[in-house]
Amino acid sequence: MDTATLDAMKATLRGPVIGPQDAEYSRARTVYNAMIDKRPAALVRCTDAADVMAAVDFVRDNGLELAVRGGGHSGPGLCLVDDGVTIDLSPMRWVRVDPVARTAQVGGGSLLGDLDHAAHAFGLATPGGIISTTGVGGLTLGGGHGYLTRTHGLTVDNLLAADVVLADGGFVTANETDTPDLFWALRGGGGNFGIVTSFTYRLHPVDTVGVAITLWPVDGTRDVLAWYREFLPQAPEDVYAFFAAFVIPPVPPFPEELHGQKMCGIVGCHTGDPSRFEEAFTAVQEPGRPTFHFTTRMPYPALQSMFDALLPAGHQWYWRGDFFDRIPDGALDVHLKYGENIPTPLSLLHLYPVDGAAHRVGPDDTAWGYRDAVWSGVVAGVDPDPDNAEIIKHWCVDYWQELHPYSMGGSYVNFMGTGESQERVRATYGNHYDRLARIKRTYDPDNLFRANQNIEPARQA
């Protein structure tokens, strides 16, 4: 982008336009994953929907590449584009809760922590994530799952409306009755269809929740997972527990003698009757006496932010994901092999439940393509040292490649990594890909919104 074009953009928009010559540039292009080092020609911090509309028009009319940044948590760095323009929604960070209607309207640049905080004041919440610094936009458009999914569904199952800036610079509010095809696509189709400037969610009564963390030595992975694959799907829907293999960090509540040890176990959340909380997790004794079993009750936002300090922005990240409807014996061996060889203290494997209430939504009711999945898995190599980037990448890729044959073939779109093939993208959107491609043709025929796990517009018949 030449200076004249950059100056013209600055004159067009209310929000700041940051170029490579500006002092803020290095910080503005920094995202959660420090492995990403892209250099946009400009970053536009939009203050409102009108700014987003003007920015889209400017980018399109000048033939520039475009990316969209909400919370900046995109693992493969799709919120930045080299030599193009990033539309940064971070100034649009606000939440308005209607406690009577039990809804929340949330700005497109908001983080999960913003929504959790605002809704918690009224004893309310909606499903989404386990790290409070995650942007609501990327998480929601990919489908969204978290501690409340077994009880209240996916994030998109609780999306009531979305304000969207389209590729032609127009603005629509998408819901079940207005542009329902677009609303369907937004619920799991990623950022392919427009820029969402606000989301409206249904909220549920959630206040203080039960939290259980139970751990065993990593060499017991086969027995623990064999128990977990039976326990979790049969548990009441108010019981949630994701499986994890990781290195114990030197923080409370973990005792000092466990620090640095490789362990496997579950992180559980109970949203039911508090008097039944302890009973809900008594089955953790079945695979063998746990090395560590911790239970407490805490406000829901405290659970949502529990891992924030362990996994702050600025680390090297490399991840891959898959959906699973079962955990066969062969997969147990893979998890044991790679769990015993976790390469760095922050690298991990998580299996997140996506059953329960999420299974009661029809397979074609939203663009989320795997309503029959029971777990959404992610392998993540994580380390603060750039010198370890290749080590964590190879561990992640090797682990994923050995585990993938036991998967359903596709992934939660937000757990896809860098440079994945178009075949992999198709597998991730599943049977909905062709329908999504037709909707893409309607709303973005020239594929302006392509800095994502891209759905190419369908060709005209």
Side-chain angles (χ1 to χ4, degrees):
M1 185 186 297
D2 58 34
T3 302
T5 304
L6 186 62
D7 289 344
M9 179 176 282
K10 290 180 177 180
T12 301
L13 304 173
R14 288 183 64 203
V17 177
I18 302 167
Q21 76 285 356
D22 293 318
E24 282 190 83
Y25 180 75
S26 292
R27 188 168 64 88
R29 71 181 185 91
T30 300
V31 293
Y32 185 75
N33 183 0
M35 198 176 284
I36 305 303
D37 185 25
K38 296 182 180 179
R39 301 186 65 86
L43 299 102
V44 181
R45 287 186 173 153
C46 293
T47 59
D48 53 24
D51 246 8
V52 176
M53 295 164 70
V56 167
D57 284 341
F58 193 95
V59 169
R60 184 195 62 247
D61 294 346
N62 284 275
L64 303 170
E65 294 284 324
L66 180 150
V68 182
R69 173 176 173 156
H73 268 240
S74 170
L78 298 174
C79 46
L80 299 174
V81 59
D82 283 322
D83 301 320
V85 175
T86 285
I87 293 180
D88 184 349
L89 304 180
S90 59
M92 301 172 64
R93 190 173 167 182
W94 50 266
V95 180
R96 287 196 292 269
V97 175
D98 183 335
V100 176
R102 291 182 178 174
T103 62
Q105 187 177 18
V106 184
S110 301
L111 308 182
L112 287 178
D114 302 325
L115 172 57
D116 294 335
H117 169 78
H120 184 70
F122 303 98
L124 301 169
T126 204
I130 67 164
I131 300 287
S132 74
T133 58
T134 306
V136 298
L139 179 132
T140 300
L141 295 174
H145 54 69
Y147 292 109
L148 305 181
T149 288
R150 299 193 77 233
T151 312
H152 298 300
L154 303 173
T155 307
V156 291
D157 300 337
N158 295 278
L159 184 66
L160 300 175
D163 291 338
V164 191
V165 175
L166 303 174
D168 63 3
F171 178 91
V172 298
T173 296
N175 54 41
E176 290 282 9
T177 56
D178 297 319
T179 58
D181 56 341
L182 176 61
F183 187 57
W184 179 88
L186 293 174
R187 289 175 289 166
N192 278 281
F193 305 95
I195 301 176
V196 180
T197 59
S198 79
F199 300 85
T200 301
Y201 301 101
R202 178 187 300 109
L203 303 177
H204 303 273
V206 178
D207 193 346
T208 300
V209 298
V211 177
I213 303 175
T214 309
L215 303 175
W216 296 262
V218 76
D219 61 10
T221 294
R222 294 190 90 265
D223 291 338
V224 174
L225 259 179
W227 162 78
Y228 172 76
R229 69 186 178 187
E230 303 298 326
F231 161 74
L232 189 280
Q234 296 176 21
E237 290 180 0
D238 57 15
V239 174
Y240 175 98
F242 71 82
F243 176 86
F246 65 112
V247 178
I248 303 301
V251 297
F254 305 112
E256 187 174 352
E257 62 267 22
L258 294 185
H259 294 174
Q261 291 193 33
K262 295 172 183 175
M263 307 287 284
C264 68
I266 62 168
V267 178
C269 172
H270 182 252
T271 54
D273 181 347
S275 68
R276 299 182 60 189
F277 165 43
E278 298 288 346
E279 175 189 346
F281 289 97
T282 55
V284 298
Q285 302 293 330
E286 294 177 11
R289 183 184 177 94
T291 303
F292 177 79
H293 180 59
F294 169 82
T295 60
T296 190
R297 292 187 61 78
M298 64 175 65
Y300 177 70
L303 172 61
Q304 282 283 83
S305 59
M306 189 166 63
F307 298 114
D308 289 5
L310 292 176
L311 297 169
H315 290 336
Q316 306 285 307
W317 280 78
Y318 197 90
W319 64 29
R320 292 280 179 91
D322 264 323
F323 286 119
F324 301 90
D325 57 358
R326 59 195 180 94
I327 305 174
D329 289 349
L332 304 183
D333 295 327
V334 177
H335 287 302
L336 173 62
K337 173 182 175 180
Y338 286 93
E340 290 183 322
N341 292 282
I342 295 173
T344 61
L346 294 175
S347 296
L348 53 88
L349 171 279
H350 286 177
L351 293 172
Y352 300 106
V354 287
D355 61 336
H359 278 188
R360 294 199 295 276
V361 177
D364 298 322
D365 289 353
T366 67
W368 173 275
Y370 285 83
R371 286 291 172 179
D372 51 347
V374 180
W375 291 280
S376 171
V378 62
V379 179
V382 188
D383 196 72
D385 188 348
D387 289 342
N388 289 330
E390 287 302 310
I391 294 172
I392 61 175
K393 177 179 178 180
H394 286 304
W395 175 80
C396 173
V397 172
D398 291 347
Y399 193 163
W400 178 84
Q401 286 180 336
E402 288 198 40
L403 194 61
H404 182 64
Y406 301 105
S407 77
M408 300 175 73
S411 169
Y412 176 40
V413 65
N414 292 333
F415 288 158
M416 294 182 69
T418 305
E420 301 213 37
S421 67
Q422 190 62 24
E423 289 76 18
R424 174 76 169 149
V425 173
R426 276 186 167 270
T428 288
Y429 294 118
N431 295 332
H432 296 150
Y433 185 90
D434 289 340
R435 181 178 174 185
L436 287 164
R438 293 192 296 271
I439 296 171
K440 175 78 167 179
R441 182 179 64 202
T442 299
Y443 291 98
D444 186 16
D446 298 320
N447 206 8
L448 178 68
F449 302 115
R450 58 182 176 270
N452 44 49
Q453 302 298 350
N454 192 233
I455 298 165
E456 297 177 353
R459 296 179 180 180
Q460 293 286 351

